[in-house]
Amino acid sequence: MLTKVYGSAVFGVEATTVVVEVNVARGIGYHLVGLPDNAIKESNYRIAAALSNNGFKIPGKKITINMAPADLRKEGSAYDLSLAIGILTASGQINAGNLDDYVIMGELSLDGSLQPIRGALPIALKAKEEGFKGFILPESNAEEAGIVEELLVFGVKEITEVTAFFDKNIPLKPTKVNIALQFKRQLDLSEHDFSDVKGQEGVKRCMEIAAAGGHNIILIGPPGAGKTMLAKRLPSILPPMNIEEALETTKIHSVVGRIKTGGLICRRPFRSPHHTISDVALVGGGAYPQPGEISLSHNGVLFLDELPEFKRGVLEVMRQPLEDREVTISRARFTVSYPCSFMLVASMNPSPSGFFNDSSSPSRSSAAEMQRYMGKISGPLLDRIDLHIEVSPVPFDKLAEKRKGEGSAEIRNRVTRAREHQTERFKSNTKVHYNAQMSTRQIRNHCVLDAASAELLKSAMKRLNLSARAYDRILKVSRTIADLEAKENIEAEHLAEAIQYRSLDREGWLG
């Protein structure tokens, strides 16, 4: 008897429906075809034990299983439940006449209980797109898949619940997710707030500008100045994610199995990899490609602490993703792409000792040592960082103040209003959403300077020995500062403020 069960394979962040065809006929044998990996080939042992421990059995006949399309590689243990239900139906142990209505996925334990799977959200989205009535999967993944509206999502604990649903019409309870409530809960759980930061008003202002325009930023200062503390608070002033951004972010984390509690990721990610990270772990890849840290920070912040300590080759692979906001991984048989639209926040000491600008420090580095240290970061990478800000240690009287500074909520309100101006400005362009993404042509259209401002920029570039690469960055940042003040045109004071955020372009830093 031939039976068809529907599963799904995930490549990149998109799913493809897989038809599991099970045929039970006379003879002896177990044949599994359709490019399964080792985890799927081993499934017959898990399935046999699970069925035996729940009153079923593997039939002593010839079992042929084809996973179509046969030229698409399938991997992972999530097909256990699909295979088991197919075997039970094809051998007549259960009567399942409506298998065509459901996608079924889950990893079986030997006692028949179900373990969580990866990629539940992309699979649920694909099931809805292709017109399936429901999705049966492990209970621990139910909230994640339940985000998808107009699809019945049934979370089950063990295989007997599935067999009873099909064979005895015992109903399963669908999982319903209140998306609005999830947004509220996660936004209320913010751990870091700018009100905790003492002093550093200039740096906080710079980070507000970075958040408003989506600009990459680098913090330069000695150890203990508060660079990491400030970076961790940046997500708290970014505009709240909309439902499309939340779904994109959740899909990526779903693929790598990083969703632990709740279904929807509503808070912007903050990723901070160690400086020993490999290029594959940062960008993504591997024998079976997985998203890297830059994709896991999609719609959020990627923080690289002590930037010069990272291997230069690791930093260089970020150049293309920073520009394209997408990373493409190519292998001999396939190519996958992962989105990676993130804000890069980097920090570094100004010199190997960390006290290049501190005349009172006994461990000052020479100018030559400082140049070698800065030379670890390539010019093309710095090209993609719009804001450079020096972070100085906070004096004792500021640290001892009991008065709290401005909180993240107030700053976020201003940032959100500035982003709304940018959304309106770029509404006709689906690829550009905020100022940092502007192309050269858009800079010319939206960053027009009057004669006085143009003369100011010319004078500053000459007097401060700013490099040519600073020109477009200054204009982008000026546009964001004007947006924060709800000004239609860039004015001289906006330009003057933007110029001071180009520390690393000045002679004496990189020469």
Side-chain angles (χ1 to χ4, degrees), residues 191 308 333 400:
E191 301 174 10
R333 295 186 177 181

Side-chain angles (χ1 to χ4, degrees), residues 313-330:
V314 171
L315 296 178
E316 292 305 296
V317 297
M318 285 203 307
R319 285 162 47 182
Q320 179 264 335
L322 276 170
E323 198 72 28
D324 298 342
R325 302 185 183 274
E326 182 180 68
V327 58
T328 301
I329 300 165
S330 298

Side-chain angles (χ1 to χ4, degrees), residues 492-503:
E493 58 266 28
H494 306 146
L495 197 61
E497 183 176 1
I499 290 168
Q500 71 176 337
Y501 298 135
R502 296 300 302 179
S503 300

Side-chain angles (χ1 to χ4, degrees), residues 313-493:
V314 171
L315 296 178
E316 292 305 296
V317 297
M318 285 203 307
R319 285 162 47 182
Q320 179 264 335
L322 276 170
E323 198 72 28
D324 298 342
R325 302 185 183 274
E326 182 180 68
V327 58
T328 301
I329 300 165
S330 298
R331 294 293 180 265
R333 295 186 177 181
F334 56 86
T335 299
V336 296
S337 296
Y338 298 108
C340 58
S341 180
F342 61 92
M343 278 183 64
L344 173 64
V345 179
S347 75
M348 62 178 292
N349 295 330
S351 64
S353 69
F355 300 95
F356 177 71
N357 291 325
D358 188 352
S359 59
S360 63
S361 172
S363 57
R364 292 187 67 199
S365 300
S366 68
E369 289 175 326
M370 187 266 191
Q371 288 287 345
R372 285 195 297 270
Y373 180 71
M374 294 296 299
K376 295 180 180 180
I377 308 170
S378 71
L381 179 61
L382 285 175
D383 275 352
R384 292 160 173 82
I385 299 178
D386 296 344
L387 294 160
H388 313 154
I389 184 70
E390 297 175 50
V391 184
S392 301
V394 181
F396 175 78
D397 58 339
K398 285 284 186 182
L399 288 173
E401 280 185 356
K402 292 185 179 180
R403 181 177 60 86
K404 285 193 172 186
E406 186 178 28
S408 293
E410 294 89 343
I411 301 173
R412 185 171 61 244
N413 288 337
R414 294 196 296 269
V415 168
T416 302
R417 286 195 294 270
R419 285 284 184 101
E420 288 170 355
H421 292 308
Q422 295 164 51
T423 299
E424 178 65 22
R425 179 181 301 128
F426 303 122
K427 63 182 179 181
S428 62
N429 192 321
T430 57
K431 294 184 178 180
V432 178
H433 304 287
Y434 42 83
N435 291 335
Q437 298 176 328
M438 283 193 291
S439 66
T440 302
R441 178 177 296 179
Q442 288 165 329
I443 291 172
R444 301 295 177 264
N445 292 336
H446 302 300
C447 302
V448 179
L449 302 180
D450 58 28
S453 297
E455 186 60 32
L456 172 63
L457 180 55
K458 178 181 177 181
S459 174
M461 292 189 70
K462 183 177 180 180
R463 187 174 66 254
L464 299 175
N465 291 303
L466 294 174
S467 65
R469 66 174 177 252
Y471 181 78
D472 282 354
R473 268 64 192 175
I474 289 172
L475 289 178
K476 287 182 181 181
V477 174
S478 300
R479 179 67 266 171
T480 299
I481 296 171
D483 289 338
L484 281 167
E485 296 184 7
K487 295 293 181 67
E488 183 67 27
N489 299 313
I490 297 173
E491 299 176 1
E493 58 266 28

Side-chain angles (χ1 to χ4, degrees), residues 47-48 50-60 63 84 87-88 91 93:
I47 292 170
L51 296 184
S52 175
N53 288 322
N54 287 277
F56 301 104
K57 64 179 181 178
I58 293 284
I63 302 173
I87 291 170
L88 291 175
S91 61
Q93 297 181 67

